[in-house]
Amino acid sequence: MTRQYRIQKVTGEPDWDKIEKAPLDQRMWRPCEAISAYAQLAYDESRLYVHLHAEEAQIRAENSGVLDQPCQDSCLEFFLSAAECDARYLNIELNPNLCLYFGFGTGRVDRMRLLLPGGGKTLNACCERTATGWDVAYELPFKLLQLFFPDFSPSGKIRGNFYKCGDLTAQEHYLAWNRVDAGHPDFHLPAYFGELCFSD
């Protein structure tokens, strides 16, 4: 079943307390009842705002290098195809150190890792620890999305999914918003993306 999420239009910085949450409640491949997460999106005239939150008692944050893999740590991810009928997608992965994986392609095998000039800072990324977990927020300017999807405009539907994982955490885990029906851990399957709908 394909889920839908409505992307709310805002003026200025979003008030995340008023934005709909997309629960990452699909637990796959490993038991992980102690970890939960949700995602939120909003947009204005020039950018898409992304906010991801995890409830996670044992946070792993070891990686910080340019070519390190944030998915080995406590990691929150957003994959999106900003064109309804385009097989390609961006995958954006961040750990609590704002170690960034920014990739583009059609799947696990053919995607490219792109190094943004300032890493997570290019996206105005920020992270905050909470008493019981952590948050990450960042911005995707439409001009950036249009480098990959030239016909993109903030209207209609695009496709995407939100994920929480931690390959080397104390409790290996894999959570998603829209369920991924694969026999082994693999988020790089755009056939399982949900629908992201821009509100007017």
Side-chain angles (χ1 to χ4, degrees), residues 48-188:
L48 185 66
Y49 296 94
V50 183
H51 177 247
L52 303 163
H53 172 79
E55 292 290 311
E56 182 176 16
Q58 294 178 281
I59 296 172
R60 185 184 195 271
E62 301 294 329
N63 293 327
S64 57
V66 173
L67 294 177
D68 283 352
Q69 297 286 342
C71 63
Q72 294 175 342
D73 288 339
S74 300
C75 187
L76 286 161
E77 306 182 356
F78 176 37
F79 288 26
L80 79 155
S81 180
E84 194 173 358
C85 298
D86 196 324
R88 301 170 304 158
Y89 64 91
L90 291 168
N91 66 287
I92 303 160
E93 309 171 12
L94 284 159
N95 74 358
N97 296 332
L98 299 181
C99 177
L100 172 69
Y101 189 111
F102 189 93
F104 182 64
T106 61
R108 179 177 292 281
V109 175
D110 80 333
R111 68 198 162 112
M112 300 176 293
R113 185 174 189 172
L114 306 173
L115 301 181
L116 302 185
K121 292 178 182 177
T122 302
L123 306 178
N124 286 332
C126 60
C127 177
E128 182 178 346
R129 298 282 187 108
T130 67
T132 55
W134 60 290
D135 288 86
V136 66
Y138 54 92
E139 302 169 6
L140 296 173
F142 295 155
K143 288 182 178 179
L144 175 63
L145 294 178
Q146 287 162 351
L147 293 176
F148 302 96
F149 305 98
D151 296 330
F152 167 77
S153 65
S155 61
K157 297 176 186 176
I158 58 175
R159 296 177 302 111
N161 212 344
F162 307 103
Y163 306 111
K164 171 75 185 80
C165 66
D167 294 353
L168 300 180
T169 54
Q171 183 181 19
E172 183 183 1
H173 58 279
Y174 302 94
L175 280 64
W177 168 60
N178 204 64
R179 188 166 187 83
V180 179
D181 288 320
H184 60 277
D186 189 358
F187 290 154
H188 293 271

